[in-house]
Amino acid sequence: AQSVTQLDSHVSVSEGTPVLLRCNYSSSYSPSLFWYVQHPNKGLQLLLKYTSAATLVKGINGFEAEFKKSETSFHLTKPSAHMSDAAEYFCVVSVGQAGTALIFGKGTTLSVSS
Amino acid sequence: DAGVIQSPRHEVTEMGQEVTLRCKPISGHNSLFWYRQTMMRGLELLIYFNNNVPIDDSGMPEDRFSAKMPNASFSTLKIQPSEPRDSAVYFCASSLAGGLDEQFFGPGTRLTVL
């Protein structure tokens, strides 16, 4: 069975400090993995995606994630948080031949303080 | 492109009434997704269309929910009869090529069933 676990429901950081949002997955297939961000009262926006190419994936706004098959993890990081990064982040697994099974994590709320 | 368009943005109705949510995907995208987001259950995939054909409707909660995509530029999600527990934000998203591709989300419809 496929599943996604976001290990923290809420992460708080200070502006200028590093961000780490953790995601573990379980999949019988080679998964495609995504991180999406949702700002308040908005739809989701793609940050980055992994589709079996380079294991270190760079996304928008300085975010990146590393696919670690041995650890079944796909953690999202950013070296220096900005106030505008405050939002909810979703880790998503797409499995199946046509990517028909889309599994969303419960989300991690990132708070950034000045 | 205007992005994914959803209407209405807000809907307040009484229990037992029929509700119809509408979505116009991005032109040229051949996959369309309907999601529901609540505090309790997070983000759930309800149904996924590819080339106007429903591919995966396993997330549709029950027979009160139905979705159609009569052509490549329009989809509806109907709830009949509506119940208070259907209150949620409903998102529509589209992509070029199924679940393995980036999904572009609409702004959502906030549904309140009294």
Side-chain angles (χ1 to χ4, degrees):
Chain A
Q2 284 71 237
S3 66
V4 177
T5 303
Q6 291 185 241
L7 299 169
D8 307 292
S9 59
H10 191 217
V11 171
S12 296
V13 301
S14 298
E15 193 173 22
T17 64
V19 175
L20 170 63
L21 306 182
R22 298 182 295 166
C23 173
N24 285 108
Y25 71 92
S26 173
S27 174
S28 305
Y29 307 94
S30 295
S32 291
L33 296 158
F34 307 78
W35 276 99
Y36 280 84
V37 61
Q38 184 180 29
H39 288 95
N41 300 313
K42 301 284 187 183
L44 279 71
Q45 178 186 17
L46 180 69
L47 274 179
L48 50 80
K49 67 177 180 181
Y50 165 79
T51 53
S52 74
T55 56
L56 182 62
V57 183
K58 294 188 183 299
I60 62 172
N61 300 334
F63 284 93
E64 62 182 38
E66 187 171 8
F67 173 71
K68 292 186 177 181
K69 187 175 181 179
S70 61
E71 299 177 8
T72 60
S73 70
F74 190 58
H75 302 332
L76 182 70
T77 60
K78 182 173 181 177
S80 176
H82 192 273
M83 296 293 288
S84 61
D85 294 328
E88 188 156 18
Y89 293 79
F90 293 92
C91 182
V92 184
V93 176
S94 177
V95 297
Q97 187 173 7
T100 54
L102 294 165
I103 303 170
F104 280 74
K106 295 292 187 185
T108 298
T109 300
L110 175 65
S111 299
V112 182
S113 58
S114 57
Chain B
D1 198 313
V4 175
I5 299 172
Q6 291 187 247
S7 64
R9 293 294 307 278
H10 301 272
E11 176 81 25
V12 180
T13 190
E14 293 188 346
M15 183 174 63
Q17 296 298 305
E18 177 179 298
V19 174
T20 299
L21 311 182
R22 296 173 177 80
C23 175
K24 176 178 168 55
I26 292 173
S27 178
H29 284 191
N30 64 10
S31 299
L32 183 140
F33 307 79
W34 281 101
Y35 294 91
R36 177 173 68 178
Q37 186 177 38
T38 62
M39 289 293 292
M40 291 295 293
R41 295 186 298 268
L43 196 67
E44 305 169 280
L45 175 66
L46 299 178
I47 187 168
Y48 156 43
F49 291 88
N50 194 50
N51 292 324
N52 312 337
V53 175
I55 302 299
D56 182 0
D57 65 355
S58 58
M60 295 287 265
E62 49 197 274
D63 292 346
R64 297 185 297 107
F65 285 69
S66 62
K68 293 182 180 180
M69 192 165 185
N71 57 61
S73 59
F74 183 65
S75 177
T76 59
L77 177 67
K78 186 175 295 186
I79 308 172
Q80 165 64 17
S82 59
E83 297 182 3
R85 61 193 169 113
D86 301 330
S87 297
V89 180
Y90 291 81
F91 288 102
C92 176
S94 70
S95 73
L96 277 170
L100 294 175
D101 202 3
E102 176 180 1
Q103 294 182 37
F104 293 81
F105 282 74
T109 295
R110 183 173 295 277
L111 173 65
T112 303
V113 183
L114 303 174

